[in-house]
DNA sequence: CGTCAGCTTGACTCATCTCAACTAGGGTGG
DNA sequence: CCACCCTAGTTGAGATGAGTCAAGCTGACG
């Protein structure tokens, strides 16, 4: 589908493990916010030794629910959406992964969800077997993973409240505020929130339809709380949006 | 509220740490399905050494969102519901805990949710500090906790699909089938599903209203898929209910 | 025997969905 | 360069699943 995008320069690094000196942890912009930071990057037997750089074009599938789970990933650039499908095609996005996020905390035999690049993505790929033995070797890595898992669990619980008990307006407001906070931690702006995902993606994340998401954003724009800009929104009145997101 | 229920015989064991020979892990019916099973019960410095038996009457609050998280729990008997409240009182139940389940996988400074006994509950209480140092001592316990955390995460993700993308009928059917499976693993029946929680609890778990839950169950009963019995339902046609729960 | 909490059922409302038309921007090929 | 197409987004009008409000039922308990 978007395989032509794989032909971009980034891709050249992927199969070249010798190039890692320039592309490795030392120059990784998200190393310190990742699970990686718990191990010394230069240490032999570190994560870097088993990392493989991989790249995906916009719209490409990274992994598929039900496939053998033979790798875990750490996102370096781009945005990924994780989703589950019902047999009739209804989709629920269970989360977006931004740079620095880890994918594959649970290591069951099969992936319990699918993952898609919503914009061009580069990531570190760790073979499951090598990663598992590293985890067994390094208790601090297991500790860090557990921390990450419980953090995600808390996010998931918050999202359940959103899905089960909030109105469309509140859902959209909470989504924007939450995303702003995540971009901010990665050094992003406080006013302009990039929205690389489509309205359909947002809808499938919030348990709404794309029309409702569009209408709600238009409504917020009409009441001067935000401004719709290409590939994002600019918050004009974060206070009122936060109040809507109520928590 | 239900403090009079605390006067039942069970309660007598709680403050008596010497009685643990009869009440401890050796006689615990859920020991082998709990996180506890990873440590030898007789081993000095085991979980048993730091466990304290606690009991709660029906409706009693076990912990409150925002309170200092100074203990974790393992449920021995009874059913607990975990929930979050929005400022205006809307409630989302994020899960039910049955015998053998662990409460407090995440160990943040404050509980991220509240917990209520929906029927009389007895549990093992572990002081957070003692539990934390035990976890640091025993890597296999950390490993087990991580396993439990990722398991819960997967359940949470499934529940997000339910909350965001399923109809009322599907929600109720999936709830019943899921609960049946959990009771079954604890040695319960395959046809009669105990429902110790109220319709309101079920509604707050499924993102519905109590009226909708009641109507939906009535509808399933009218179409001969189940029979409503006191404090539960009896599945007459698990196949069709499973089909409704679709996944 | 009265009260009360939990549950059921009915009638009506409304937030969100569905279906559909229309617009805007980007890429492609003649 | 223009004509065309295609995807993403917006907006409107009408349908509907679930919510709201209200009445009544039932069993437990004092």
């Amino acid at each position: 589908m978007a395989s032509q995008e794989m032909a971009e320069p980034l891709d050249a690094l992927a199969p070249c493990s010798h190039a890692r000196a320039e592309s490795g942890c030392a120059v990784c912009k998200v190393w310190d916010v990742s699970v990686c930071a718990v191990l010394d990057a230069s240490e032999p037997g570190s994560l870097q030794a088993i990392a493989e750089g991989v790249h995906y074009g916009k719209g490409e599938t990274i992994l598929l629910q039900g496939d053998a789970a033979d790798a875990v990933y750490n996102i370096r650039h781009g945005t990924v959406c994780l989703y589950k499908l019902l047999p009739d095609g209804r989709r629920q996005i269970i989360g977006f992964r931004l740079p620095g996020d880890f994918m594959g905390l649970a290591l069951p035999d099969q992936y319990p969800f699918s993952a898609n690049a919503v914009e061009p993505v580069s990531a570190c790929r760790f073979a499951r077997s090598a990663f598992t033995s590293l985890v067994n070797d390094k208790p601090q890595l297991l500790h860090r993973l557990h921390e990450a898992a419980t953090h995600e669990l808390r996010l998931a619980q918050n999202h359940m409240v959103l899905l089960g008990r909030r109105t469309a307006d509140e859902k959209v407001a909470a989504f924007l505020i939450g995303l702003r906070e995540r971009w901010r931690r990665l050094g992003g702006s406080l006013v302009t929130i990039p929205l690389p995902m489509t309205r359909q993606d947002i809808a499938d994340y919030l348990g709404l339809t794309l029309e409702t998401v569009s209408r709600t954003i238009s409504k917020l724009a009409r009441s001067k709380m935000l401004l719709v800009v290409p590939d994002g929104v600019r918050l004009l009145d974060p206070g009122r949006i936060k109040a809507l997101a109520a928590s």
Side-chain angles (χ1 to χ4, degrees), chain A:
Chain A
M1 181 203 243
S3 53
Q4 70 284 2
E5 306 224 26
M6 285 302 281
E8 57 192 2
L10 283 169
D11 200 26
L13 294 174
C16 175
S17 54
H18 307 93
R20 216 172 281 135
E22 311 97 69
S23 70
C25 304
V27 299
C28 181
K29 289 197 184 71
V30 295
W31 182 82
D32 53 324
V33 298
S34 301
V35 294
C36 312
V38 84
L39 296 183
D40 189 335
S42 58
E43 181 185 352
S46 74
L47 280 165
Q48 176 162 354
I50 61 168
E52 176 198 359
V54 288
H55 303 272
Y56 301 90
K58 178 174 170 172
E60 241 186 299
T61 296
I62 299 174
L63 48 89
L64 222 46
Q65 175 168 7
D67 278 5
D70 42 37
V72 299
Y73 299 83
N74 206 54
I75 312 299
R76 297 186 96 186
H77 305 282
T79 307
V80 174
C81 81
L82 310 183
Y83 63 94
K84 282 168 161 276
L85 291 175
L86 291 178
D88 63 1
R90 281 174 289 176
R91 182 176 71 148
Q92 176 68 42
I93 290 183
I94 59 176
F96 293 103
R97 292 293 171 270
L98 306 185
D101 288 342
F102 191 79
M103 250 179 19
L105 281 168
L107 289 158
D109 290 335
Q110 307 190 330
Y111 293 117
F113 46 70
S114 303
N116 239 288
V118 306
E119 58 180 345
V121 161
S122 56
C124 285
R125 182 184 198 275
F126 306 99
R128 188 195 178 187
S129 55
F131 189 79
T132 303
S133 41
L134 194 59
V135 171
N136 289 334
D137 261 26
K138 314 273 185 181
Q140 75 269 39
L141 180 56
L142 176 56
H143 198 272
R144 184 75 180 79
L145 283 179
H146 187 238
E147 216 171 79
T150 57
H151 176 68
E152 269 211 33
L153 188 54
R154 235 167 305 132
L155 291 182
Q157 290 167 347
N158 286 333
H159 202 57
M160 287 188 221
V161 180
L162 180 147
L163 288 170
R165 285 294 177 231
R166 300 188 118 132
T167 65
D169 291 1
E170 293 168 346
K171 284 178 175 182
V172 171
F175 169 70
L176 293 175
I177 293 297
L179 198 55
R180 176 175 82 145
E181 180 57 19
R182 292 177 71 189
W183 286 126
R184 199 188 56 69
R185 272 187 219 156
L186 293 170
S189 151
L190 273 165
V191 289
T192 301
I193 307 174
L195 296 175
M197 65 291 287
T198 66
R199 298 287 186 264
Q200 180 69 67
D201 290 337
I202 300 175
D204 285 346
Y205 181 58
L206 300 177
L208 298 170
T209 58
L210 71 96
E211 293 94 331
T212 299
V213 171
S214 180
R215 273 187 251 273
T216 304
I217 292 179
S218 298
K219 193 163 79 177
L220 295 178
R222 231 176 300 123
S223 49
K224 306 282 183 236
M225 286 193 247
L226 57 77
L227 195 65
V228 180
V229 298
D231 299 313
V233 295
R234 176 181 292 259
L235 299 195
L236 302 178
D237 192 341
R240 271 204 296 161
I241 296 185
K242 246 183 189 152
L244 257 183
S247 179

